[in-house]
Amino acid sequence: MTGGVRIGRALVRHELRLAVSLVLWLARRTRGTADGTPFGYARGQGAVMFGFAFVCVVETVALSVLLLDWPAVHAVVLFLDVYTVVFVVALHAANVVRPHVLDPDSGTLRIRRAVHVDLRIPLERIASVRRELRMSHEPAAGELNVEAGSQTTVTRELTEPVTHVTLFGRRRDVRVVRFHADESDALVRAPARGGGPLGRRARHRTLTAELYREEYRVLVLLPPSEGKAASGRGAPLKPGSLSLPGLAGAREAVLAELVDLCAADEDKAREVLGLSEGLRGEVAKNLELRTAGARPAGEIYTGVLYDALDLASLDAAAKRGAARSLLVFSGLWGAVRVTDRIPSYRCSMGVRLPGLGALGAYWRTPMASVLPEAAGSGLVLDLRSAAYATAWKPKGEVAARTATVRVLHAPTRKVVSHFNKATKGRIVRSLLTDGAAPKDPAALVEALRDLGYVVEAQAPARAGTPWALDVLVDEVH
């Protein structure tokens, strides 16, 4: 099918859908809402649309009078003017009869705008949801802005991309969706069907409550592993599909310099990356970052912490929690979710690239603009090592709900690397499998003690600083 034919068919479908919407509007019916809860978005723009339609009617009458002496021109202009009035009214009708639809039974949220946008989001892919008023929107890779009256009021970040198909059939993957809803608060906090407050165990919570009670979501910050599994055999990296699309530009800059460095001089690359002679093969691995098969980050990262966490053996509810809550910091990617598909690589946060400089310092600016939004309004559990903590330090009210954890060998009260990493992995696993959702650092201390951990807590001495938690262990099995 040629491009012209495809566009022609798309325009015909568009006009037919507008006509159907107009009929439904006149009949006071909606479309596609029978099995879910509708959330409208047309209230704020109805007056504007009818105002525009009135102007079109006035223009139609005026031109009809002026063109009476030219019958052929009069007929053409009259047809176009009447069509414009009908089109404007039909467009408003489409906004009314095609609202957003939340359907917990089918596990989807349907985001719509007239007949132009119809995006179905599986509820299990929603990482975070918040009310956020935006009046301006800059185009960005991996983001979809479904504006109504030039504004959006709800922002959703996804654990995996969904495909948006445009009016003319262009397909693009999106990880962040912003849209407007007249009752945005009700949509953000839509209660579970037949549910009450969130329980402590995930198996007793419905999927909708798990997704929409945003204040209970925990963001867990993890370090990567130094050693990594081999790249996959599937599709290569798609940078636009990664979470936190606000980091896309910074990621590309690091990726480009790292690949160029490894291609230019292997010995220089080993020196910059801090690799011994025995790890020379890691340089060749970095050369293939754009073409190597990608795997979920949760499979790429290995080592003591990730062995103890053992993502693969989690049940379905705990895996959904991991996809929404876990954020792994990286010298190359900045930060990724465990579901993000990436190739194996070698580039720690302690690396100083010749052009960009020390990566810990490089990432501070882009992280500062992205991470506070990702932190939402819940607890931030910071399990990063010192090198990765330099890339982003929570500030203000985010810091006040952040808890850092140090694992001490009880007999000596010293940090022992193996105990530290393994216990942090076990802590995250325990929280995920138990379904615990502490709202703040004090609740986290209680939850960890309930799970059998010995915890010493120190509240911050001044406002706007994180809590410090010490977990005491005798041995790690």
Side-chain angles (χ1 to χ4, degrees), residues 198-205 210 216 218 309 313-322 324 425-438 443-453:
L198 286 178
R200 284 289 306 280
R201 296 181 179 274
R203 60 178 176 271
H204 296 311
R205 300 185 298 186
E210 204 175 329
Y216 291 101
V218 179
L309 175 54
S313 67
L314 294 174
D315 62 28
K319 285 181 178 177
R320 287 196 298 270
R324 294 192 302 274
R426 292 174 64 204
I427 286 173
V428 176
R429 183 178 178 86
S430 297
L431 292 172
L432 290 171
T433 56
D434 183 74
L444 173 65
V445 172
E446 180 182 348
L448 291 177
R449 287 172 177 166
D450 288 345
L451 291 169
Y453 292 93

Side-chain angles (χ1 to χ4, degrees), residues 9 12 39 61 82 86 108 114 129 167-168 222 332 341 438:
R9 288 186 176 181
V12 170
F39 289 89
V61 173
V82 171
V86 174
T108 59
V129 52
L167 174 64
F168 295 120
L222 296 175
L332 174 55
R341 299 183 66 85

Side-chain angles (χ1 to χ4, degrees), residues 124-362:
E124 63 182 11
R125 294 193 187 183
I126 298 177
S128 67
V129 52
R130 60 189 171 277
R131 191 183 188 284
E132 179 186 44
L133 175 62
R134 288 200 176 197
M135 303 299 293
S136 61
H137 304 83
E138 295 295 331
E143 297 185 6
L144 174 65
N145 297 307
V146 187
E147 305 160 40
S150 300
Q151 70 174 349
T152 59
T153 52
V154 180
T155 298
R156 297 186 183 277
E157 184 178 337
L158 310 182
T159 59
E160 299 179 36
V162 294
T163 301
H164 166 56
V165 182
T166 66
L167 174 64
F168 295 120
R170 180 170 170 262
R171 305 173 71 88
R172 58 186 291 251
D173 290 340
V174 296
R175 293 291 295 254
V176 175
V177 182
R178 298 186 182 92
F179 60 97
H180 172 68
D182 295 331
E183 304 294 339
S184 56
D185 284 332
L187 178 57
V188 168
R189 302 184 186 280
R193 182 168 295 182
L198 286 178
R200 284 289 306 280
R201 296 181 179 274
R203 60 178 176 271
H204 296 311
R205 300 185 298 186
T206 66
L207 178 61
T208 309
E210 204 175 329
L211 292 169
Y212 284 87
R213 295 297 294 273
E214 171 65 11
E215 64 269 31
Y216 291 101
R217 186 174 64 88
V218 179
L219 180 66
V220 182
L221 310 181
L222 296 175
S225 59
E226 186 173 358
K228 299 172 183 67
S231 296
R233 296 181 178 274
L237 170 72
K238 295 181 179 179
S241 71
L242 298 180
S243 299
L244 307 179
L247 299 178
R251 285 169 175 153
E252 176 56 32
V254 178
L255 177 60
E257 182 166 355
L258 180 61
V259 172
D260 289 346
L261 171 69
C262 293
D265 187 331
E266 184 178 282
D267 290 333
K268 176 65 174 179
R270 284 201 301 113
E271 178 185 343
V272 170
L273 298 175
L275 302 177
S276 65
E277 177 66 31
L279 294 175
R280 183 178 292 270
E282 298 294 284
V283 176
K285 179 192 295 185
N286 285 345
L287 280 174
E288 300 173 353
L289 284 172
R290 296 188 187 277
T291 57
R295 298 170 62 181
E299 297 178 11
I300 289 290
Y301 296 119
T302 59
V304 176
L305 188 154
Y306 291 91
D307 287 345
L309 175 54
D310 196 7
L311 288 167
S313 67
L314 294 174
D315 62 28
K319 285 181 178 177
R320 287 196 298 270
R324 294 192 302 274
S325 299
L326 306 188
L327 200 63
V328 184
F329 275 61
S330 162
L332 174 55
W333 313 115
V336 293
R337 298 194 184 276
V338 292
T339 51
D340 285 333
R341 299 183 66 85
I342 58 174
S344 185
Y345 67 96
R346 191 63 172 252
C347 184
S348 71
M349 193 66 78
V351 164
R352 179 183 293 273
L353 292 175
L356 297 177
L359 291 179
Y362 170 78

